[in-house]
Amino acid sequence: MSEETASAGHVPPADTVSPVASPCIGVCRIDPATGWCVGCLRSLDEIAAWGVEDDAARRQVLDRIAVRRVSRR
């Protein structure tokens, strides 16, 4: 890796960045009280849209999941 690409400000090209991974853990059951999957804490709409959303939208879903995780405690 050259000094230029190793610099802290280097951002790899978009086509080399891994997509945001699904939070699915294979425990797929919707909690009727919350409407969220008990495994990944996504709503049915969020689960259905995941495959066509861009990474920015996926990160927004992950942010909502983080809030839900805290609120469940």
Side-chain angles (χ1 to χ4, degrees), residues 59-72:
R59 284 187 193 93
Q60 289 176 345
V61 171
L62 294 178
D63 289 344
R64 289 192 298 270
I65 289 170
V67 171
R68 292 171 188 164
R69 188 169 285 119
V70 170
S71 71
R72 283 182 14 169

Side-chain angles (χ1 to χ4, degrees), residues 15-62:
D15 61 345
T16 63
V17 177
S18 298
V20 176
S22 170
C24 180
I25 62 169
V27 179
C28 306
R29 189 176 73 244
I30 300 299
D31 180 334
T34 63
W36 304 329
C37 173
V38 298
C40 68
L41 297 179
R42 290 181 291 172
S43 69
L44 284 174
D45 288 340
E46 291 167 338
I47 293 167
W50 189 267
V52 296
E53 288 181 326
D54 62 17
D55 283 349
R58 289 177 177 182
R59 284 187 193 93
Q60 289 176 345
V61 171
L62 294 178

